[in-house]
Amino acid sequence: DAGVIQSPRHEVTEMGQEVTLRCKPISGHNSLFWYRQTMMRGLELLIYFNNNVPIDDSGMPEDRFSAKMPNASFSTLKIQPSEPRDSAVYFCASSLFGGNTEAFFGQGTRLTVV
Amino acid sequence: DQQVKQNSPSLSVQEGRISILNCDYTNSMFDYFLWYKKYPAEGPTFLISISSIKDKNEDGRFTVFLNKSAKHLSLHIVPSQPGDSAVYFCAASERRTGANNLFFGTGTRLTVIP
């Protein structure tokens, strides 16, 4: 398996623009997580899905953030409108719900909002 | 508020010596703990875990110790090698409640000096 695949690897956008980050989880995994990494807070959980259903989105910072998982093999995290303080590395991870809770991470998307 | 804390942002150790990374948590419901390792420009990768029914788990050069009364865990690396230089994240979850999301600390950057 290729592991968790995220795209793009890097995104530079202007303030106010819409940004969409994409994630393909490991085949067979039924839990998917979106994390944001910052120096101050480390890895923050934004939202997670079990069997394509959002379970906990309490970590989503504002209404500008939204996430979807239309099927078991694809998820998106959208920021609209983007702001400079959204600049961070965003990670997607997947795991097998009901099994070990080791999550496998993608390589991340480095977002820069100027 | 951070439920998992790593109070040392960095640690330097001589090659061959022991590295000890520390982690504290506040949520007494956490019952499964993990350590992840992260290289630059890569996603975190799972290293070792421990269940709350144990106080020690060993895997090669890596040993994790859990002190539930102190809500403290540590990762020991013996002997340390230059390839161990990375950022180490401590994580915790409440497996018994069925939740499988992970709460991460802010990370400790380990540098192993040749």
Side-chain angles (χ1 to χ4, degrees), chain B residues 44-98:
Chain B
T45 54
F46 169 72
L47 188 58
I48 191 170
S49 63
I50 188 168
S51 166
S52 59
I53 63 173
K54 295 185 175 181
D55 55 16
K56 177 182 173 181
N57 189 26
E58 191 172 351
D59 183 2
R61 298 185 296 113
F62 301 91
T63 303
V64 56
F65 295 92
L66 176 62
N67 182 333
K68 289 185 291 294
S69 61
K71 294 192 179 70
H72 177 85
L73 64 155
S74 61
L75 174 68
H76 292 211
I77 307 173
V78 181
S80 302
Q81 299 174 354
D84 297 328
S85 297
V87 177
Y88 289 79
F89 289 96
C90 171
S93 70
E94 297 179 34
R95 232 172 28 162
R96 80 185 119 209
T97 64

Side-chain angles (χ1 to χ4, degrees), chain B residues 10 21-22 30-31 42 47 62 67 78 81 86 94 99 107 111:
Chain B
S10 63
L21 297 98
N22 293 304
F30 286 148
D31 58 359
E42 294 184 12
L47 188 58
F62 301 91
N67 182 333
V78 181
Q81 299 174 354
E94 297 179 34
T111 302

Side-chain angles (χ1 to χ4, degrees), chain B residues 13 23 36:
Chain B
V13 171
C23 177
Y36 278 79

Side-chain angles (χ1 to χ4, degrees), chain A residues 43-60:
Chain A
L43 282 161
E44 294 177 274
L45 178 66
L46 301 177
I47 185 171
Y48 79 98
F49 297 83
N50 282 342
N51 295 316
N52 311 340
V53 176
I55 302 300
D56 183 357
D57 65 354
S58 59
M60 297 285 260

Side-chain angles (χ1 to χ4, degrees), chain A residues 11-87:
Chain A
E11 177 79 41
V12 180
T13 190
E14 290 186 347
M15 183 174 65
Q17 296 297 307
E18 176 180 298
V19 175
T20 300
L21 311 182
R22 296 173 175 79
C23 175
K24 182 180 186 311
I26 291 173
S27 177
H29 281 188
N30 49 12
S31 290
L32 183 139
F33 310 85
W34 282 101
Y35 283 90
R36 178 171 67 175
Q37 184 188 8
T38 61
M39 290 294 291
M40 291 299 296
R41 301 184 63 86
L43 282 161
E44 294 177 274
L45 178 66
L46 301 177
I47 185 171
Y48 79 98
F49 297 83
N50 282 342
N51 295 316
N52 311 340
V53 176
I55 302 300
D56 183 357
D57 65 354
S58 59
M60 297 285 260
E62 299 171 34
D63 291 344
R64 298 183 295 107
F65 286 68
S66 63
K68 293 181 180 179
M69 192 164 186
N71 56 61
S73 58
F74 184 66
S75 177
T76 59
L77 177 68
K78 185 176 292 187
I79 308 172
Q80 164 63 19
S82 58
E83 297 182 3
R85 60 194 168 116
D86 301 330
S87 298

Side-chain angles (χ1 to χ4, degrees), chain A residues 9 31 35 41 97 101-103 106, chain B residues 32 36 41 43 46 98 100 102:
Chain A
R9 288 295 309 277
S31 290
Y35 283 90
R41 301 184 63 86
F97 178 67
T101 52
E102 291 87 291
Chain B
Y32 194 68
Y36 278 79
F46 169 72
N100 61 335
L102 296 173

